[in-house]
Amino acid sequence: MTRQITLRRPDDWHLHLRDGDALRSVIAATARQFARAIVMPNIRPPVTTLAAALAYRERILAALAAARAAGELDDTGAAFEPLMTLYLTDRTTAQDIREASASGQVHGVKLYPAGATTHSDAGVTDIARTYPALQAMQDCGLPLLVHGEVTDPAIDLFDREKVFIDRVMEPLRRDFPALKVVFEHITTQDAAQYVAQAPGPTAATITAHHLLYNRNALFLGGVRPHWYCLPVLKRETHRQALLQAATSGSPRFFLGTDSAPHARHLKEIACGCAGCYTAPHALELYATAFEQADALDRLAGFASEFGPAFYGLPPNQGTVTLVREPWAIPESLPFAGDSIVPLAGGETLEWRLRD
Ligand code: DOR
Ligand code: ZN
Protein backbone atom coordinates (compact mmCIF):
# COMPACT_ATOMS: atom_id res chain seq x y z
CA MET A 1 0.00 0.00 0.00
CA THR A 2 1.36 3.41 -0.96
CA ARG A 3 2.12 5.37 2.22
CA GLN A 4 3.51 8.59 0.80
CA ILE A 5 3.41 10.55 -2.48
CA THR A 6 5.60 13.46 -3.45
CA LEU A 7 4.56 15.77 -6.28
CA ARG A 8 5.92 18.85 -7.91
CA ARG A 9 4.17 21.77 -6.19
CA PRO A 10 0.69 21.85 -7.79
CA ASP A 11 -1.58 24.68 -9.00
CA ASP A 12 -5.34 25.20 -8.80
CA TRP A 13 -6.64 26.13 -12.27
CA HIS A 14 -10.11 27.24 -11.05
CA LEU A 15 -10.64 28.99 -7.73
CA HIS A 16 -13.00 31.48 -6.06
CA LEU A 17 -11.17 33.68 -3.54
CA ARG A 18 -13.94 36.29 -2.96
CA ASP A 19 -12.98 39.70 -1.57
CA GLY A 20 -12.61 41.65 1.68
CA ASP A 21 -12.88 39.68 4.93
CA ALA A 22 -13.91 36.51 3.08
CA LEU A 23 -10.74 36.68 0.97
CA ARG A 24 -8.69 37.14 4.12
CA SER A 25 -10.38 34.08 5.65
CA VAL A 26 -9.68 31.68 2.77
CA ILE A 27 -6.42 32.80 1.17
CA ALA A 28 -4.08 30.82 3.45
CA ALA A 29 -5.94 27.56 2.81
CA THR A 30 -5.14 27.70 -0.90
CA ALA A 31 -1.64 29.17 -0.47
CA ARG A 32 -0.67 26.25 1.80
CA GLN A 33 -1.57 23.75 -0.90
CA PHE A 34 -0.92 25.43 -4.24
CA ALA A 35 1.81 27.59 -5.77
CA ARG A 36 -0.59 29.43 -8.11
CA ALA A 37 -4.29 29.60 -8.84
CA ILE A 38 -6.49 30.90 -11.62
CA VAL A 39 -8.71 33.32 -9.70
CA MET A 40 -12.31 33.61 -10.85
CA PRO A 41 -13.59 37.13 -11.57
CA ASN A 42 -17.19 36.74 -10.28
CA ILE A 43 -16.85 39.10 -7.33
CA ARG A 44 -19.04 42.18 -6.90
CA PRO A 45 -18.58 44.23 -9.03
CA PRO A 46 -17.25 41.69 -11.53
CA VAL A 47 -13.66 42.01 -12.75
CA THR A 48 -14.36 43.24 -16.27
CA THR A 49 -11.29 45.41 -16.92
CA LEU A 50 -7.53 45.15 -16.62
CA ALA A 51 -7.56 47.91 -13.99
CA ALA A 52 -10.06 45.95 -11.89
CA ALA A 53 -7.97 42.76 -12.26
CA LEU A 54 -4.79 44.54 -11.16
CA ALA A 55 -6.55 46.14 -8.18
CA TYR A 56 -8.04 42.75 -7.17
CA ARG A 57 -4.58 41.19 -7.46
CA GLU A 58 -3.23 43.81 -5.03
CA ARG A 59 -6.00 42.99 -2.54
CA ILE A 60 -5.13 39.29 -2.79
CA LEU A 61 -1.43 40.02 -2.21
CA ALA A 62 -2.34 42.20 0.79
CA ALA A 63 -4.48 39.38 2.23
CA LEU A 64 -1.55 36.98 1.73
CA ALA A 65 0.81 39.35 3.52
CA ALA A 66 -1.67 39.64 6.39
CA ALA A 67 -1.92 35.83 6.61
CA ARG A 68 1.88 35.62 6.64
CA ALA A 69 2.11 38.24 9.38
CA ALA A 70 -0.48 36.34 11.43
CA GLY A 71 1.66 33.18 11.23
CA GLU A 72 -0.85 31.34 9.01
CA LEU A 73 1.71 30.82 6.23
CA ASP A 74 5.41 30.10 5.92
CA ASP A 75 7.61 31.73 3.27
CA THR A 76 6.73 29.15 0.64
CA GLY A 77 3.01 29.69 1.18
CA ALA A 78 3.41 33.45 1.21
CA ALA A 79 4.98 33.23 -2.28
CA PHE A 80 1.60 32.08 -3.69
CA GLU A 81 0.88 33.71 -7.03
CA PRO A 82 -2.67 34.68 -8.05
CA LEU A 83 -3.26 34.34 -11.78
CA MET A 84 -5.91 36.87 -12.70
CA THR A 85 -8.84 36.55 -15.10
CA LEU A 86 -11.32 38.91 -16.73
CA TYR A 87 -15.09 38.49 -16.71
CA LEU A 88 -16.38 38.46 -20.29
CA THR A 89 -19.46 40.57 -20.98
CA ASP A 90 -21.42 41.55 -24.07
CA ARG A 91 -19.43 44.78 -24.02
CA THR A 92 -15.85 43.48 -23.69
CA THR A 93 -13.88 44.96 -26.61
CA ALA A 94 -10.93 43.61 -28.58
CA GLN A 95 -8.93 46.48 -27.11
CA ASP A 96 -9.79 45.39 -23.55
CA ILE A 97 -8.43 41.95 -24.43
CA ARG A 98 -5.24 43.21 -26.05
CA GLU A 99 -4.46 45.43 -23.04
CA ALA A 100 -5.15 42.62 -20.59
CA SER A 101 -2.96 40.19 -22.51
CA ALA A 102 -0.11 42.70 -22.89
CA SER A 103 -0.05 43.26 -19.10
CA GLY A 104 1.19 39.71 -18.54
CA GLN A 105 -1.04 39.58 -15.42
CA VAL A 106 -4.24 38.28 -16.99
CA HIS A 107 -4.19 34.58 -17.85
CA GLY A 108 -7.73 33.88 -19.00
CA VAL A 109 -11.16 35.33 -19.70
CA LYS A 110 -14.22 33.73 -18.10
CA LEU A 111 -17.43 33.16 -20.00
CA TYR A 112 -20.47 32.93 -17.74
CA PRO A 113 -23.72 32.54 -19.64
CA ALA A 114 -25.88 35.25 -17.95
CA GLY A 115 -27.76 33.72 -15.02
CA ALA A 116 -25.94 30.35 -15.08
CA THR A 117 -24.54 30.57 -11.55
CA THR A 118 -23.40 32.74 -8.60
CA HIS A 119 -22.82 36.36 -9.64
CA SER A 120 -23.27 35.63 -13.33
CA ASP A 121 -25.94 38.27 -13.97
CA ALA A 122 -23.40 40.46 -15.80
CA GLY A 123 -22.47 37.52 -18.04
CA VAL A 124 -22.90 36.95 -21.73
CA THR A 125 -26.46 37.07 -23.11
CA ASP A 126 -25.52 36.18 -26.69
CA ILE A 127 -22.17 34.70 -27.59
CA ALA A 128 -22.26 36.37 -31.02
CA ARG A 129 -21.73 39.69 -29.23
CA THR A 130 -18.40 38.47 -27.87
CA TYR A 131 -16.90 37.51 -31.24
CA PRO A 132 -14.59 40.57 -31.51
CA ALA A 133 -13.23 39.80 -28.03
CA LEU A 134 -12.87 36.09 -28.83
CA GLN A 135 -11.03 36.94 -32.05
CA ALA A 136 -8.59 39.10 -30.07
CA MET A 137 -8.13 36.30 -27.51
CA GLN A 138 -7.36 33.84 -30.28
CA ASP A 139 -4.81 36.29 -31.72
CA CYS A 140 -3.16 36.90 -28.32
CA GLY A 141 -3.25 33.26 -27.17
CA LEU A 142 -5.36 34.19 -24.13
CA PRO A 143 -7.48 31.21 -23.00
CA LEU A 144 -11.28 31.31 -22.80
CA LEU A 145 -12.55 29.69 -19.58
CA VAL A 146 -16.08 28.45 -20.02
CA HIS A 147 -18.88 27.79 -17.54
CA GLY A 148 -20.47 25.20 -19.81
CA GLU A 149 -24.17 25.16 -19.03
CA VAL A 150 -27.08 26.55 -21.02
CA THR A 151 -29.47 28.73 -19.04
CA ASP A 152 -32.58 27.82 -21.05
CA PRO A 153 -35.21 27.09 -18.36
CA ALA A 154 -36.80 24.55 -20.70
CA ILE A 155 -33.70 22.34 -20.40
CA ASP A 156 -33.56 19.99 -17.44
CA LEU A 157 -30.94 21.09 -14.91
CA PHE A 158 -29.08 17.80 -15.27
CA ASP A 159 -28.87 18.14 -19.07
CA ARG A 160 -27.59 21.70 -19.28
CA GLU A 161 -23.93 20.78 -19.76
CA LYS A 162 -24.65 18.25 -22.49
CA VAL A 163 -26.87 20.71 -24.38
CA PHE A 164 -24.19 23.40 -24.03
CA ILE A 165 -21.77 21.20 -25.99
CA ASP A 166 -24.09 21.09 -29.00
CA ARG A 167 -25.38 24.64 -28.83
CA VAL A 168 -22.25 26.57 -27.85
CA MET A 169 -19.02 24.55 -27.69
CA GLU A 170 -19.14 22.98 -31.13
CA PRO A 171 -19.92 26.24 -33.00
CA LEU A 172 -17.29 28.04 -30.89
CA ARG A 173 -14.60 25.50 -31.76
CA ARG A 174 -15.55 25.74 -35.43
CA ASP A 175 -15.45 29.54 -35.51
CA PHE A 176 -12.24 29.92 -33.46
CA PRO A 177 -10.15 26.85 -34.25
CA ALA A 178 -6.97 28.18 -32.62
CA LEU A 179 -8.59 29.66 -29.47
CA LYS A 180 -7.44 27.99 -26.24
CA VAL A 181 -10.60 26.82 -24.48
CA VAL A 182 -10.91 25.38 -20.98
CA PHE A 183 -14.25 23.68 -20.32
CA GLU A 184 -14.40 24.41 -16.60
CA HIS A 185 -15.47 21.95 -13.89
CA ILE A 186 -16.88 19.30 -16.22
CA THR A 187 -19.48 17.03 -14.68
CA THR A 188 -20.63 14.59 -17.38
CA GLN A 189 -19.42 11.72 -19.50
CA ASP A 190 -20.53 13.80 -22.49
CA ALA A 191 -18.15 16.63 -21.62
CA ALA A 192 -15.27 14.24 -20.85
CA GLN A 193 -15.73 12.55 -24.23
CA TYR A 194 -16.07 15.87 -26.01
CA VAL A 195 -12.88 17.30 -24.48
CA ALA A 196 -10.88 14.12 -25.11
CA GLN A 197 -11.44 14.36 -28.86
CA ALA A 198 -12.31 18.03 -29.54
CA PRO A 199 -10.41 19.82 -32.28
CA GLY A 200 -8.01 22.63 -31.40
CA PRO A 201 -6.44 23.46 -28.04
CA THR A 202 -9.20 22.23 -25.72
CA ALA A 203 -8.85 21.20 -22.07
CA ALA A 204 -11.01 20.76 -18.97
CA THR A 205 -10.71 21.22 -15.24
CA ILE A 206 -12.25 18.65 -12.91
CA THR A 207 -13.13 19.27 -9.26
CA ALA A 208 -12.41 16.87 -6.41
CA HIS A 209 -16.08 16.78 -5.45
CA HIS A 210 -17.20 15.68 -8.91
CA LEU A 211 -14.59 12.87 -8.74
CA LEU A 212 -15.70 11.71 -5.30
CA TYR A 213 -19.47 12.12 -5.25
CA ASN A 214 -22.53 11.51 -7.35
CA ARG A 215 -25.92 13.21 -6.95
CA ASN A 216 -26.99 10.81 -4.21
CA ALA A 217 -24.70 12.84 -1.93
CA LEU A 218 -27.15 15.74 -2.22
CA PHE A 219 -29.95 13.75 -0.62
CA LEU A 220 -28.24 11.32 1.76
CA GLY A 221 -30.77 11.06 4.61
CA GLY A 222 -32.06 14.58 3.84
CA VAL A 223 -31.09 17.65 1.84
CA ARG A 224 -27.34 18.28 2.07
CA PRO A 225 -26.69 21.90 1.08
CA HIS A 226 -22.91 21.65 1.43
CA TRP A 227 -22.83 19.26 -1.54
CA TYR A 228 -24.77 21.68 -3.75
CA CYS A 229 -22.70 23.33 -6.45
CA LEU A 230 -23.09 24.28 -10.10
CA PRO A 231 -22.91 22.42 -12.35
CA VAL A 232 -24.74 20.13 -9.94
CA LEU A 233 -23.42 16.62 -9.11
CA LYS A 234 -24.56 14.05 -11.68
CA ARG A 235 -25.32 10.32 -11.63
CA GLU A 236 -22.69 7.64 -10.92
CA THR A 237 -21.93 6.81 -14.57
CA HIS A 238 -20.79 10.42 -15.04
CA ARG A 239 -18.60 10.34 -11.93
CA GLN A 240 -16.96 7.18 -13.24
CA ALA A 241 -16.30 8.84 -16.61
CA LEU A 242 -14.74 11.88 -14.91
CA LEU A 243 -12.51 9.68 -12.77
CA GLN A 244 -11.46 7.80 -15.89
CA ALA A 245 -10.65 11.08 -17.70
CA ALA A 246 -8.73 12.56 -14.76
CA THR A 247 -6.64 9.42 -14.33
CA SER A 248 -6.20 8.72 -18.05
CA GLY A 249 -2.90 10.58 -18.30
CA SER A 250 -4.35 12.84 -21.02
CA PRO A 251 -2.85 16.34 -20.66
CA ARG A 252 -6.26 17.78 -21.56
CA PHE A 253 -7.58 17.16 -18.01
CA PHE A 254 -6.16 19.01 -15.04
CA LEU A 255 -6.90 20.11 -11.49
CA GLY A 256 -9.35 22.93 -10.77
CA THR A 257 -11.02 22.80 -7.37
CA ASP A 258 -13.81 25.34 -7.98
CA SER A 259 -13.56 25.86 -4.23
CA ALA A 260 -16.42 28.34 -3.77
CA PRO A 261 -16.80 29.55 -0.18
CA HIS A 262 -20.17 30.71 1.14
CA ALA A 263 -20.93 31.44 4.81
CA ARG A 264 -22.79 28.64 6.57
CA HIS A 265 -26.01 30.66 6.93
CA LEU A 266 -26.12 31.28 3.16
CA LYS A 267 -25.91 27.54 2.49
CA GLU A 268 -28.26 26.30 5.21
CA ILE A 269 -31.35 28.28 4.19
CA ALA A 270 -34.45 27.84 2.03
CA CYS A 271 -32.65 29.00 -1.13
CA GLY A 272 -29.00 28.20 -0.51
CA CYS A 273 -25.98 29.33 -2.52
CA ALA A 274 -24.15 26.98 -4.89
CA GLY A 275 -20.55 26.11 -4.10
CA CYS A 276 -18.43 23.59 -2.20
CA TYR A 277 -15.57 24.81 -0.02
CA THR A 278 -12.67 22.44 -0.68
CA ALA A 279 -9.58 24.68 -0.48
CA PRO A 280 -8.37 23.48 2.97
CA HIS A 281 -8.25 19.79 1.98
CA ALA A 282 -8.16 19.91 -1.81
CA LEU A 283 -5.11 17.74 -2.47
CA GLU A 284 -6.21 15.20 0.12
CA LEU A 285 -9.60 14.92 -1.61
CA TYR A 286 -7.97 14.45 -5.01
CA ALA A 287 -5.56 11.83 -3.62
CA THR A 288 -8.57 9.96 -2.19
CA ALA A 289 -10.25 9.95 -5.61
CA PHE A 290 -7.11 8.89 -7.50
CA GLU A 291 -6.47 6.11 -5.00
CA GLN A 292 -10.02 4.81 -5.57
CA ALA A 293 -9.10 4.45 -9.24
CA ASP A 294 -5.77 2.84 -8.30
CA ALA A 295 -4.06 5.69 -10.13
CA LEU A 296 -2.07 7.62 -7.53
CA ASP A 297 0.85 7.58 -9.98
CA ARG A 298 -1.24 9.76 -12.32
CA LEU A 299 -1.90 12.49 -9.77
CA ALA A 300 1.33 14.38 -10.50
CA GLY A 301 0.48 14.96 -14.16
CA PHE A 302 -3.07 16.06 -13.36
CA ALA A 303 -2.13 18.31 -10.42
CA SER A 304 1.25 19.73 -11.38
CA GLU A 305 2.17 19.26 -15.05
CA PHE A 306 -0.73 19.51 -17.50
CA GLY A 307 -2.15 22.84 -16.34
CA PRO A 308 1.06 24.88 -16.74
CA ALA A 309 1.67 23.22 -20.11
CA PHE A 310 -1.77 24.27 -21.39
CA TYR A 311 -1.49 27.83 -20.06
CA GLY A 312 2.08 28.20 -21.36
CA LEU A 313 3.55 28.77 -17.89
CA PRO A 314 6.63 27.14 -16.37
CA PRO A 315 6.06 24.22 -14.00
CA ASN A 316 6.66 25.05 -10.34
CA GLN A 317 9.84 24.44 -8.40
CA GLY A 318 9.72 22.46 -5.17
CA THR A 319 7.50 19.62 -4.02
CA VAL A 320 4.67 18.73 -1.65
CA THR A 321 4.25 15.41 0.13
CA LEU A 322 1.05 13.61 1.01
CA VAL A 323 1.23 10.95 3.71
CA ARG A 324 -1.23 8.26 4.68
CA GLU A 325 -2.34 9.56 8.05
CA PRO A 326 -6.04 9.68 8.94
CA TRP A 327 -7.40 13.03 10.12
CA ALA A 328 -10.83 14.55 10.61
CA ILE A 329 -11.91 17.43 8.35
CA PRO A 330 -13.01 20.30 10.62
CA GLU A 331 -16.79 20.59 10.95
CA SER A 332 -16.60 24.35 10.72
CA LEU A 333 -14.02 27.08 10.18
CA PRO A 334 -14.06 30.85 10.84
CA PHE A 335 -15.18 32.89 7.83
CA ALA A 336 -15.50 36.67 7.71
CA GLY A 337 -16.99 37.03 11.20
CA ASP A 338 -19.17 34.01 10.49
CA SER A 339 -18.44 30.33 9.89
CA ILE A 340 -18.07 28.05 6.91
CA VAL A 341 -18.50 24.29 6.51
CA PRO A 342 -15.78 22.64 4.45
CA LEU A 343 -16.98 19.85 2.17
CA ALA A 344 -17.40 16.61 4.12
CA GLY A 345 -16.72 18.42 7.40
CA GLY A 346 -16.44 15.95 10.29
CA GLU A 347 -15.52 13.03 8.02
CA THR A 348 -12.13 11.31 8.03
CA LEU A 349 -9.60 11.49 5.19
CA GLU A 350 -6.85 8.90 4.83
CA TRP A 351 -4.40 11.29 3.19
CA ARG A 352 -2.84 14.35 4.75
CA LEU A 353 -0.63 17.03 3.26
CA ARG A 354 2.60 17.17 5.25
CA ASP A 355 3.54 20.60 6.63
O1 DOR B 1 -21.06 26.11 -7.38
C1 DOR B 1 -20.59 27.11 -7.89
N1 DOR B 1 -20.22 28.18 -7.14
N2 DOR B 1 -20.49 27.18 -9.22
C2 DOR B 1 -20.11 28.29 -9.86
O2 DOR B 1 -20.05 28.27 -11.05
C3 DOR B 1 -19.86 29.53 -9.09
C4 DOR B 1 -19.48 29.25 -7.72
C5 DOR B 1 -19.50 30.47 -6.81
O3 DOR B 1 -18.95 31.50 -7.19
O4 DOR B 1 -20.03 30.37 -5.71
ZN1 ZN C 1 -16.23 28.34 -10.38
Side-chain angles (χ1 to χ4, degrees), residues 14 16 40 110 112 185 258:
H14 184 124
H16 298 270
M40 288 295 129
K110 182 72 190 276
Y112 286 107
H185 44 55
D258 198 17

Short mmCIF file of all heavy atoms in Angstrom, two decimals, residues 14 16 40 110 112 185 258, ligand 2:
data_model
loop_
_atom_site.label_atom_id
_atom_site.label_comp_id
_atom_site.label_asym_id
_atom_site.label_seq_id
_atom_site.Cartn_x
_atom_site.Cartn_y
_atom_site.Cartn_z
N HIS A 14 -8.75 26.64 -11.12
CA HIS A 14 -10.11 27.24 -11.05
C HIS A 14 -10.46 27.46 -9.59
O HIS A 14 -10.76 26.51 -8.86
CB HIS A 14 -11.14 26.32 -11.71
CG HIS A 14 -12.51 26.93 -11.74
ND1 HIS A 14 -13.22 27.09 -12.91
CD2 HIS A 14 -13.31 27.42 -10.77
CE1 HIS A 14 -14.38 27.66 -12.65
NE2 HIS A 14 -14.47 27.86 -11.34
N HIS A 16 -12.30 30.26 -6.50
CA HIS A 16 -13.00 31.48 -6.06
C HIS A 16 -12.38 31.94 -4.74
O HIS A 16 -12.43 31.20 -3.74
CB HIS A 16 -14.49 31.21 -5.86
CG HIS A 16 -15.15 30.78 -7.14
ND1 HIS A 16 -15.71 31.68 -8.02
CD2 HIS A 16 -15.29 29.56 -7.71
CE1 HIS A 16 -16.19 31.01 -9.07
NE2 HIS A 16 -15.93 29.73 -8.91
N MET A 40 -11.08 33.27 -10.13
CA MET A 40 -12.31 33.61 -10.85
C MET A 40 -12.71 35.07 -10.59
O MET A 40 -12.52 35.59 -9.49
CB MET A 40 -13.44 32.66 -10.42
CG MET A 40 -13.25 31.28 -10.96
SD MET A 40 -13.35 31.27 -12.78
CE MET A 40 -11.85 30.40 -13.18
N LYS A 110 -13.17 34.67 -18.50
CA LYS A 110 -14.22 33.73 -18.10
C LYS A 110 -15.54 34.05 -18.77
O LYS A 110 -16.03 35.17 -18.69
CB LYS A 110 -14.38 33.78 -16.57
CG LYS A 110 -15.40 32.80 -16.01
CD LYS A 110 -14.91 31.37 -16.06
CE LYS A 110 -16.01 30.37 -15.72
NZ LYS A 110 -16.18 30.16 -14.29
N TYR A 112 -19.31 33.40 -18.48
CA TYR A 112 -20.47 32.93 -17.74
C TYR A 112 -21.70 33.24 -18.59
O TYR A 112 -22.00 34.42 -18.82
CB TYR A 112 -20.65 33.69 -16.42
CG TYR A 112 -19.67 33.35 -15.33
CD1 TYR A 112 -18.66 34.24 -14.99
CD2 TYR A 112 -19.79 32.17 -14.60
CE1 TYR A 112 -17.77 33.94 -13.97
CE2 TYR A 112 -18.90 31.87 -13.57
CZ TYR A 112 -17.90 32.76 -13.26
OH TYR A 112 -17.02 32.48 -12.25
N HIS A 185 -14.75 22.85 -14.81
CA HIS A 185 -15.47 21.95 -13.89
C HIS A 185 -16.47 21.05 -14.62
O HIS A 185 -17.67 21.12 -14.38
CB HIS A 185 -16.15 22.70 -12.75
CG HIS A 185 -16.89 23.96 -13.12
ND1 HIS A 185 -17.87 24.00 -14.07
CD2 HIS A 185 -16.77 25.24 -12.65
CE1 HIS A 185 -18.33 25.23 -14.16
NE2 HIS A 185 -17.68 25.99 -13.34
N ASP A 258 -12.55 24.58 -8.07
CA ASP A 258 -13.81 25.34 -7.98
C ASP A 258 -14.21 25.52 -6.53
O ASP A 258 -15.41 25.59 -6.22
CB ASP A 258 -14.93 24.68 -8.79
CG ASP A 258 -16.08 25.65 -9.07
OD1 ASP A 258 -15.87 26.88 -8.93
OD2 ASP A 258 -17.18 25.19 -9.41
ZN ZN B 2 -16.23 28.34 -10.38
#
